[in-house]
Amino acid sequence: MQTEYMISIVVPVYNEMEVLPEFHARISGVLDQLSLGAEVIYVNDGSDDDSLSLLNEIYEQDARVAILDLSRNFGKEIAMTAGLHKAQGEAVIVIDADLQDPPELIPQLIDEWQKGYDVIYAKRARREGESAFKKLTAHLFYRLMRSIGQIKIPEDTGDYRLLSRRAVDALNTLSEQHRFMKGLFTWIGYRQKAVIYERDPRHAGESKWNYWHLWNFAIEGITSYSSAPLKLASYLGLLTALGAFSYGIFIIIRTMLYGDPVQGYPSMIVIILFLGGVQLMSIGVLGEYVGRIFTETKRRPLYFINKFSLARTTQKKNDAGQAAE
Ligand code: UDP
Ligand code: MG
């Protein structure tokens, strides 16, 4: 079965015990059809349900399975990063465990890779089971990223994609703490290609995302790729100064024409509060960036590993490689 190629599948797993058996059945079905060597790296991102023991069972049954057990929950972006670090394949596929990303698409992704593309991302044709509001906000976010982040993140695209070896190596050189993976995948460049598919609603269990998460995710995306919000403060300041200047001239002229009865308490309060608001907001924006500098300068490792169980097939391949040297 083994050929010269091996592909790695990286699956971040956080409390997915309901879907894992079904997921593994489907992915191994797909892998059986391929005439390529494969390893499936399940990254257990500090699940507190029975996901890990399920994974251990799967590990016993399937020699292609590797388990990377992280020391706690680090979030999906870090879990994917950890998986990419450990992946040894010539091509690496990142896929969610919840079966929203159909494993059946993998042969198509590999096809495009063999045609010479480096990043092949799966693009949804339509969004099943998502509210109109989520679709609208997502759309606005991508437009914003295009205009101020100057980075063309493909729309309707999750993290499901195939990366060539050199794309993975490029990603692995990026050591930042704030990892907005969708952006990084695009940022590294190389030849990118979309494969269109129909996204299914989650198979079981529930999404860990809510609007607060999405909001933070959006802020993360914007502040990691653009300093435009910082400029916002300068422009707001300029605008306010211009407004104040014109208003000043208006008051001078009015006083000269009509005299100066004491008035204007309400307008003064409004102006003071407005200025206070603008200043606080600008400090907040500044704070976002200072906070980021703070976490980056600590240079902490991105994650800790509790245990890494290499796939038995990969082990064999490594041994063969060493013997050949
Ligand atoms: N996930 C993870 N760590 C987390 C949250 C999620 O590894 O802290 C994994 C999860 O197990 C799944 C994938 O990331 O495989 C996507 O999660 P989810 O379906 O909740 O996100 P959505 O599809 O709604 O974006
Ligand atoms: Mg999902």
Side-chain angles (χ1 to χ4, degrees), residues 93-290:
I93 294 171
V94 183
I95 184 170
D96 284 1
D98 59 5
L99 287 172
Q100 274 185 301
D101 306 335
E104 290 71 25
L105 206 67
I106 288 177
Q108 238 173 301
L109 297 178
I110 291 178
D111 261 5
E112 298 294 338
W113 168 59
Q114 284 171 338
K115 282 182 204 156
Y117 288 98
D118 287 282
V119 180
I120 300 105
Y121 53 91
K123 193 174 156 94
R124 306 187 272 278
R126 65 192 153 92
R127 290 187 165 212
E128 279 286 336
E130 280 181 4
S131 68
F133 183 68
K134 188 168 176 191
K135 280 183 231 175
L136 178 73
T137 43
H139 178 69
L140 290 177
F141 170 70
Y142 289 112
R143 283 213 17 207
L144 192 70
M145 284 302 289
R146 267 204 301 278
S147 54
I148 70 167
Q150 284 163 6
I151 167 165
K152 279 206 189 78
I153 299 179
E155 233 171 285
D156 290 337
T157 302
D159 293 312
Y160 187 18
R161 63 192 73 212
L162 181 148
L163 303 154
S164 68
R165 186 71 251 168
R166 60 176 184 169
V168 174
D169 289 343
L171 278 171
N172 286 350
T173 60
L174 305 177
S175 59
E176 60 226 72
Q177 300 277 337
H178 287 274
R179 305 184 80 77
F180 182 70
M181 292 304 275
K182 270 193 228 186
L184 295 182
F185 288 139
T186 313
W187 185 84
I188 55 166
Y190 296 122
R191 292 184 72 199
Q192 311 222 347
K193 172 94 200 253
V195 167
I196 312 283
Y197 76 107
E198 313 254 300
R199 186 170 170 102
D200 303 323
R202 218 170 200 289
H203 180 75
E206 50 188 52
S207 171
K208 280 107 205 162
W209 292 98
N210 54 37
Y211 280 111
W212 177 242
H213 273 123
L214 286 176
W215 170 250
N216 284 322
F217 198 60
I219 293 192
E220 184 80 51
I222 291 165
T223 48
S224 323
Y225 287 93
S226 161
S227 52
L230 289 173
K231 281 188 204 141
L232 190 78
S234 329
Y235 290 122
L236 265 178
L238 194 70
L239 217 70
T240 335
L242 276 178
F245 187 68
S246 335
Y247 188 53
I249 291 179
F250 167 73
I251 287 179
I252 291 172
I253 294 174
R254 198 184 56 179
T255 314
M256 290 198 307
L257 292 182
Y258 303 105
D260 185 22
V262 179
Q263 245 182 22
Y265 176 73
S267 57
M268 200 160 76
I269 286 293
V270 169
I271 291 169
I272 291 176
L273 289 181
F274 173 72
L275 282 181
V278 167
Q279 280 167 0
L280 283 180
M281 203 188 78
S282 310
I283 294 174
V285 171
L286 209 61
E288 262 321 301
Y289 285 90
V290 175

Side-chain angles (χ1 to χ4, degrees), residues 6-21:
M6 180 176 80
I7 56 163
S8 306
I9 319 270
V10 169
V11 194
V13 175
Y14 177 56
N15 294 350
E16 300 283 7
M17 56 181 276
E18 284 118 320
V19 284
L20 270 177

